[in-house]
Short mmCIF file of all heavy atoms in Angstrom, two decimals:
data_model
loop_
_atom_site.label_atom_id
_atom_site.label_comp_id
_atom_site.label_asym_id
_atom_site.label_seq_id
_atom_site.Cartn_x
_atom_site.Cartn_y
_atom_site.Cartn_z
N PHE A 236 26.58 -56.22 115.99
CA PHE A 236 26.63 -56.56 117.42
C PHE A 236 25.46 -56.01 118.20
O PHE A 236 25.63 -55.46 119.30
CB PHE A 236 27.96 -56.10 118.05
CG PHE A 236 29.17 -56.71 117.41
CD1 PHE A 236 30.11 -55.89 116.77
CD2 PHE A 236 29.39 -58.07 117.42
CE1 PHE A 236 31.21 -56.44 116.17
CE2 PHE A 236 30.50 -58.62 116.81
CZ PHE A 236 31.43 -57.81 116.20
N ALA A 237 24.25 -56.16 117.67
CA ALA A 237 23.06 -55.74 118.41
C ALA A 237 22.87 -56.64 119.64
O ALA A 237 22.30 -56.23 120.64
CB ALA A 237 21.84 -55.79 117.52
N THR A 238 23.30 -57.90 119.54
CA THR A 238 23.16 -58.87 120.63
C THR A 238 24.53 -59.29 121.12
O THR A 238 25.34 -59.76 120.33
CB THR A 238 22.37 -60.09 120.18
OG1 THR A 238 21.07 -59.69 119.77
CG2 THR A 238 22.24 -61.10 121.31
N LEU A 239 24.79 -59.13 122.40
CA LEU A 239 26.04 -59.62 122.97
C LEU A 239 25.83 -60.72 124.00
O LEU A 239 26.69 -61.58 124.20
CB LEU A 239 26.80 -58.45 123.64
CG LEU A 239 27.35 -57.37 122.72
CD1 LEU A 239 28.14 -56.36 123.54
CD2 LEU A 239 28.21 -57.97 121.63
N ASP A 240 24.71 -60.67 124.68
CA ASP A 240 24.45 -61.63 125.75
C ASP A 240 23.60 -62.78 125.25
O ASP A 240 22.62 -62.58 124.53
CB ASP A 240 23.74 -60.94 126.94
CG ASP A 240 24.57 -59.79 127.47
OD1 ASP A 240 25.74 -60.03 127.81
OD2 ASP A 240 24.03 -58.68 127.57
N THR A 241 23.95 -64.01 125.64
CA THR A 241 23.20 -65.17 125.22
C THR A 241 21.82 -65.18 125.85
O THR A 241 21.66 -64.95 127.06
CB THR A 241 23.95 -66.46 125.60
OG1 THR A 241 25.18 -66.50 124.90
CG2 THR A 241 23.13 -67.68 125.24
N THR A 242 20.78 -65.42 125.04
CA THR A 242 19.41 -65.53 125.51
C THR A 242 18.90 -66.90 125.10
O THR A 242 19.05 -67.32 123.96
CB THR A 242 18.52 -64.44 124.89
OG1 THR A 242 19.07 -63.17 125.17
CG2 THR A 242 17.12 -64.53 125.45
N THR A 243 18.30 -67.63 126.03
CA THR A 243 17.75 -68.96 125.76
C THR A 243 16.27 -68.99 126.07
O THR A 243 15.82 -68.49 127.10
CB THR A 243 18.47 -70.01 126.62
OG1 THR A 243 19.87 -69.98 126.33
CG2 THR A 243 17.96 -71.42 126.32
N ARG A 244 15.49 -69.56 125.14
CA ARG A 244 14.04 -69.68 125.31
C ARG A 244 13.58 -71.10 124.88
O ARG A 244 14.22 -71.75 124.10
CB ARG A 244 13.29 -68.65 124.45
CG ARG A 244 13.52 -67.21 124.85
CD ARG A 244 12.80 -66.86 126.14
NE ARG A 244 12.89 -65.44 126.46
CZ ARG A 244 13.89 -64.88 127.13
NH1 ARG A 244 14.89 -65.65 127.57
NH2 ARG A 244 13.89 -63.59 127.37
N GLN A 245 12.44 -71.47 125.43
CA GLN A 245 11.82 -72.72 125.02
C GLN A 245 11.07 -72.50 123.71
O GLN A 245 10.46 -71.45 123.49
CB GLN A 245 10.83 -73.24 126.09
CG GLN A 245 11.50 -73.68 127.38
CD GLN A 245 12.01 -75.10 127.26
OE1 GLN A 245 11.54 -75.89 126.46
NE2 GLN A 245 13.01 -75.44 128.08
N MET A 246 11.09 -73.53 122.85
CA MET A 246 10.34 -73.46 121.60
C MET A 246 9.66 -74.79 121.39
O MET A 246 10.30 -75.85 121.46
CB MET A 246 11.27 -73.15 120.43
CG MET A 246 10.58 -73.11 119.08
SD MET A 246 11.69 -72.62 117.73
CE MET A 246 12.80 -74.01 117.66
N PHE A 247 8.36 -74.78 121.12
CA PHE A 247 7.61 -76.01 120.92
C PHE A 247 7.55 -76.31 119.43
O PHE A 247 7.14 -75.46 118.61
CB PHE A 247 6.19 -75.89 121.47
CG PHE A 247 5.39 -77.15 121.32
CD1 PHE A 247 5.64 -78.27 122.13
CD2 PHE A 247 4.38 -77.26 120.38
CE1 PHE A 247 4.90 -79.43 121.99
CE2 PHE A 247 3.64 -78.41 120.23
CZ PHE A 247 3.91 -79.50 121.05
N LEU A 248 7.98 -77.52 119.05
CA LEU A 248 7.93 -77.98 117.67
C LEU A 248 6.73 -78.91 117.53
O LEU A 248 6.77 -80.08 117.96
CB LEU A 248 9.23 -78.70 117.29
CG LEU A 248 10.49 -77.82 117.26
CD1 LEU A 248 11.72 -78.68 117.02
CD2 LEU A 248 10.38 -76.72 116.20
N ALA A 249 5.67 -78.38 116.92
CA ALA A 249 4.45 -79.20 116.79
C ALA A 249 4.69 -80.45 115.98
O ALA A 249 4.10 -81.50 116.28
CB ALA A 249 3.35 -78.36 116.14
N GLN A 250 5.55 -80.38 114.94
CA GLN A 250 5.80 -81.54 114.10
C GLN A 250 6.43 -82.68 114.87
O GLN A 250 6.25 -83.86 114.53
CB GLN A 250 6.67 -81.14 112.91
CG GLN A 250 6.09 -80.07 112.00
CD GLN A 250 6.47 -78.65 112.46
OE1 GLN A 250 6.64 -78.40 113.66
NE2 GLN A 250 6.63 -77.75 111.51
N ALA A 251 7.22 -82.33 115.91
CA ALA A 251 7.87 -83.39 116.73
C ALA A 251 7.16 -83.61 118.04
O ALA A 251 7.51 -84.53 118.79
CB ALA A 251 9.31 -82.97 116.99
N GLN A 252 6.16 -82.77 118.34
CA GLN A 252 5.41 -82.85 119.59
C GLN A 252 6.35 -82.83 120.81
O GLN A 252 6.23 -83.65 121.74
CB GLN A 252 4.53 -84.10 119.62
CG GLN A 252 3.31 -84.03 118.73
CD GLN A 252 2.37 -82.88 119.16
OE1 GLN A 252 1.86 -82.88 120.29
NE2 GLN A 252 2.15 -81.94 118.25
N ARG A 253 7.29 -81.90 120.79
CA ARG A 253 8.19 -81.75 121.93
C ARG A 253 8.73 -80.34 121.94
O ARG A 253 8.74 -79.61 120.93
CB ARG A 253 9.34 -82.76 121.86
CG ARG A 253 10.26 -82.58 120.67
CD ARG A 253 11.42 -83.56 120.70
NE ARG A 253 12.32 -83.33 121.85
CZ ARG A 253 13.43 -84.03 122.05
NH1 ARG A 253 13.74 -85.01 121.23
NH2 ARG A 253 14.19 -83.77 123.10
N SER A 254 9.22 -79.91 123.12
CA SER A 254 9.85 -78.61 123.28
C SER A 254 11.36 -78.75 123.19
O SER A 254 11.94 -79.77 123.57
CB SER A 254 9.46 -78.00 124.64
OG SER A 254 8.10 -77.65 124.67
N VAL A 255 11.97 -77.72 122.66
CA VAL A 255 13.45 -77.65 122.56
C VAL A 255 13.86 -76.30 123.09
O VAL A 255 13.04 -75.40 123.30
CB VAL A 255 13.92 -77.85 121.10
CG1 VAL A 255 13.48 -79.20 120.57
CG2 VAL A 255 13.39 -76.70 120.21
N THR A 256 15.16 -76.13 123.35
CA THR A 256 15.68 -74.82 123.74
C THR A 256 16.40 -74.20 122.56
O THR A 256 17.12 -74.87 121.82
CB THR A 256 16.65 -74.90 124.93
OG1 THR A 256 17.78 -75.66 124.57
CG2 THR A 256 15.95 -75.51 126.14
N LEU A 257 16.20 -72.88 122.39
CA LEU A 257 16.86 -72.13 121.32
C LEU A 257 17.63 -70.99 121.97
O LEU A 257 17.09 -70.22 122.73
CB LEU A 257 15.81 -71.59 120.34
CG LEU A 257 16.37 -70.84 119.12
CD1 LEU A 257 17.16 -71.77 118.24
CD2 LEU A 257 15.21 -70.22 118.33
N SER A 258 18.94 -70.91 121.66
CA SER A 258 19.82 -69.90 122.24
C SER A 258 20.31 -68.94 121.16
O SER A 258 20.75 -69.38 120.09
CB SER A 258 21.00 -70.52 122.95
OG SER A 258 20.58 -71.33 124.02
N ASP A 259 20.26 -67.65 121.42
CA ASP A 259 20.77 -66.62 120.54
C ASP A 259 22.12 -66.17 121.09
O ASP A 259 22.23 -65.84 122.27
CB ASP A 259 19.83 -65.43 120.49
CG ASP A 259 20.22 -64.39 119.47
OD1 ASP A 259 21.03 -64.72 118.59
OD2 ASP A 259 19.71 -63.26 119.54
N THR A 260 23.17 -66.21 120.26
CA THR A 260 24.52 -65.90 120.72
C THR A 260 25.10 -64.69 120.01
O THR A 260 24.50 -64.19 119.05
CB THR A 260 25.47 -67.10 120.50
OG1 THR A 260 25.53 -67.38 119.07
CG2 THR A 260 24.97 -68.35 121.21
N VAL A 261 26.24 -64.22 120.46
CA VAL A 261 26.90 -63.07 119.88
C VAL A 261 27.31 -63.37 118.45
O VAL A 261 27.70 -64.50 118.11
CB VAL A 261 28.14 -62.68 120.72
CG1 VAL A 261 29.17 -63.77 120.74
CG2 VAL A 261 28.77 -61.37 120.21
N GLY A 262 27.23 -62.37 117.57
CA GLY A 262 27.61 -62.56 116.19
C GLY A 262 29.12 -62.54 116.01
O GLY A 262 29.85 -61.96 116.80
N PHE A 263 29.58 -63.19 114.96
CA PHE A 263 31.00 -63.20 114.63
C PHE A 263 31.29 -62.12 113.60
O PHE A 263 30.40 -61.59 112.97
CB PHE A 263 31.42 -64.57 114.09
CG PHE A 263 31.10 -65.72 115.00
CD1 PHE A 263 30.83 -66.97 114.51
CD2 PHE A 263 31.06 -65.53 116.39
CE1 PHE A 263 30.52 -68.03 115.35
CE2 PHE A 263 30.74 -66.58 117.23
CZ PHE A 263 30.49 -67.84 116.72
N ILE A 264 32.57 -61.83 113.41
CA ILE A 264 32.97 -60.83 112.44
C ILE A 264 34.38 -61.12 111.98
O ILE A 264 35.15 -61.80 112.69
CB ILE A 264 32.89 -59.41 113.04
CG1 ILE A 264 32.91 -58.33 111.94
CG2 ILE A 264 34.00 -59.16 114.05
CD1 ILE A 264 32.59 -56.92 112.44
N ARG A 265 34.72 -60.63 110.82
CA ARG A 265 36.09 -60.81 110.31
C ARG A 265 37.11 -60.20 111.27
O ARG A 265 36.92 -59.11 111.78
CB ARG A 265 36.21 -60.14 108.93
CG ARG A 265 37.61 -60.11 108.34
CD ARG A 265 37.60 -59.53 106.95
NE ARG A 265 37.06 -58.17 106.89
CZ ARG A 265 37.80 -57.08 107.10
NH1 ARG A 265 39.09 -57.19 107.42
NH2 ARG A 265 37.26 -55.90 107.01
N ASP A 266 38.19 -60.94 111.49
CA ASP A 266 39.25 -60.46 112.40
C ASP A 266 38.73 -60.17 113.79
O ASP A 266 39.14 -59.17 114.42
CB ASP A 266 39.96 -59.24 111.82
CG ASP A 266 40.61 -59.50 110.48
OD1 ASP A 266 41.02 -60.65 110.24
OD2 ASP A 266 40.71 -58.57 109.64
N LEU A 267 37.82 -60.99 114.30
CA LEU A 267 37.35 -60.82 115.66
C LEU A 267 38.54 -60.92 116.60
O LEU A 267 39.31 -61.88 116.53
CB LEU A 267 36.31 -61.90 116.02
CG LEU A 267 35.67 -61.80 117.40
CD1 LEU A 267 34.74 -60.58 117.44
CD2 LEU A 267 34.87 -63.04 117.72
N PRO A 268 38.77 -59.93 117.46
CA PRO A 268 39.94 -59.97 118.34
C PRO A 268 40.04 -61.26 119.12
O PRO A 268 39.05 -61.72 119.70
CB PRO A 268 39.71 -58.77 119.27
CG PRO A 268 38.85 -57.84 118.49
CD PRO A 268 37.96 -58.70 117.66
N HIS A 269 41.24 -61.83 119.15
CA HIS A 269 41.43 -63.11 119.84
C HIS A 269 41.06 -63.01 121.30
O HIS A 269 40.48 -63.95 121.88
CB HIS A 269 42.91 -63.55 119.71
CG HIS A 269 43.20 -64.86 120.35
ND1 HIS A 269 42.75 -66.06 119.84
CD2 HIS A 269 43.88 -65.17 121.49
CE1 HIS A 269 43.16 -67.05 120.63
NE2 HIS A 269 43.85 -66.52 121.63
N SER A 270 41.33 -61.86 121.92
CA SER A 270 41.00 -61.68 123.34
C SER A 270 39.50 -61.78 123.56
O SER A 270 39.06 -62.25 124.62
CB SER A 270 41.51 -60.34 123.85
OG SER A 270 40.95 -59.26 123.12
N LEU A 271 38.70 -61.32 122.57
CA LEU A 271 37.24 -61.43 122.72
C LEU A 271 36.78 -62.87 122.59
O LEU A 271 35.88 -63.31 123.30
CB LEU A 271 36.55 -60.54 121.69
CG LEU A 271 36.46 -59.06 122.05
CD1 LEU A 271 35.77 -58.29 120.94
CD2 LEU A 271 35.68 -58.87 123.34
N VAL A 272 37.37 -63.61 121.67
CA VAL A 272 37.03 -65.02 121.54
C VAL A 272 37.33 -65.75 122.83
O VAL A 272 36.54 -66.53 123.34
CB VAL A 272 37.78 -65.67 120.36
CG1 VAL A 272 37.47 -67.18 120.30
CG2 VAL A 272 37.37 -65.02 119.04
N GLU A 273 38.50 -65.47 123.42
CA GLU A 273 38.88 -66.10 124.68
C GLU A 273 37.93 -65.68 125.80
O GLU A 273 37.49 -66.51 126.59
CB GLU A 273 40.33 -65.71 125.02
CG GLU A 273 41.38 -66.37 124.16
CD GLU A 273 41.40 -67.89 124.35
OE1 GLU A 273 41.37 -68.35 125.50
OE2 GLU A 273 41.39 -68.60 123.32
N SER A 274 37.66 -64.37 125.88
CA SER A 274 36.82 -63.88 126.97
C SER A 274 35.38 -64.37 126.87
O SER A 274 34.71 -64.54 127.90
CB SER A 274 36.84 -62.34 126.98
OG SER A 274 38.13 -61.86 127.16
N PHE A 275 34.90 -64.60 125.67
CA PHE A 275 33.51 -64.98 125.47
C PHE A 275 33.29 -66.48 125.42
O PHE A 275 32.24 -66.95 125.02
CB PHE A 275 32.96 -64.33 124.19
CG PHE A 275 32.41 -62.96 124.43
CD1 PHE A 275 33.26 -61.89 124.60
CD2 PHE A 275 31.05 -62.73 124.53
CE1 PHE A 275 32.78 -60.62 124.82
CE2 PHE A 275 30.55 -61.46 124.76
CZ PHE A 275 31.42 -60.38 124.91
N LYS A 276 34.30 -67.26 125.82
CA LYS A 276 34.15 -68.70 125.74
C LYS A 276 33.00 -69.22 126.60
O LYS A 276 32.36 -70.20 126.25
CB LYS A 276 35.47 -69.41 126.10
CG LYS A 276 36.43 -69.51 124.94
CD LYS A 276 37.60 -70.41 125.22
CE LYS A 276 38.43 -70.59 123.96
NZ LYS A 276 39.65 -71.41 124.20
N ALA A 277 32.75 -68.57 127.73
CA ALA A 277 31.62 -69.01 128.57
C ALA A 277 30.30 -68.84 127.83
O ALA A 277 29.44 -69.70 127.89
CB ALA A 277 31.61 -68.20 129.88
N THR A 278 30.18 -67.71 127.10
CA THR A 278 28.98 -67.50 126.33
C THR A 278 28.92 -68.41 125.10
O THR A 278 27.89 -69.02 124.82
CB THR A 278 28.93 -66.02 125.86
OG1 THR A 278 28.88 -65.19 127.02
CG2 THR A 278 27.69 -65.78 125.01
N LEU A 279 30.05 -68.51 124.40
CA LEU A 279 30.09 -69.35 123.19
C LEU A 279 29.98 -70.83 123.51
O LEU A 279 29.75 -71.63 122.59
CB LEU A 279 31.38 -69.06 122.42
CG LEU A 279 31.49 -67.62 121.86
CD1 LEU A 279 32.86 -67.42 121.22
CD2 LEU A 279 30.40 -67.35 120.86
N GLN A 280 30.14 -71.19 124.79
CA GLN A 280 30.00 -72.58 125.15
C GLN A 280 28.61 -73.10 124.86
O GLN A 280 28.39 -74.27 124.65
CB GLN A 280 30.33 -72.77 126.65
CG GLN A 280 30.70 -74.19 127.03
CD GLN A 280 32.02 -74.64 126.42
OE1 GLN A 280 32.84 -73.80 126.05
NE2 GLN A 280 32.22 -75.93 126.30
N GLU A 281 27.62 -72.18 124.86
CA GLU A 281 26.26 -72.59 124.49
C GLU A 281 26.24 -73.16 123.10
O GLU A 281 25.52 -74.12 122.81
CB GLU A 281 25.32 -71.37 124.58
CG GLU A 281 25.02 -70.89 125.99
CD GLU A 281 24.11 -71.84 126.74
OE1 GLU A 281 23.44 -72.67 126.10
OE2 GLU A 281 24.07 -71.74 127.96
N ALA A 282 27.03 -72.56 122.19
CA ALA A 282 27.11 -73.07 120.84
C ALA A 282 27.90 -74.39 120.77
O ALA A 282 27.53 -75.31 120.07
CB ALA A 282 27.73 -72.03 119.90
#
Side-chain angles (χ1 to χ4, degrees):
F236 300 118
T238 300
L239 293 184
D240 302 307
T241 297
T242 304
T243 302
R244 294 288 186 272
Q245 291 279 336
M246 178 175 67
F247 182 73
L248 294 174
Q250 300 90 327
Q252 286 299 300
R253 64 177 295 183
S254 291
V255 300
T256 63
L257 183 65
S258 297
D259 186 16
T260 61
V261 62
F263 304 150
I264 196 170
R265 174 176 58 86
D266 299 331
L267 184 69
H269 181 71
S270 60
L271 279 178
V272 176
E273 288 295 314
S274 299
F275 273 76
K276 276 190 174 178
T278 298
L279 296 175
Q280 200 67 21
E281 289 288 343

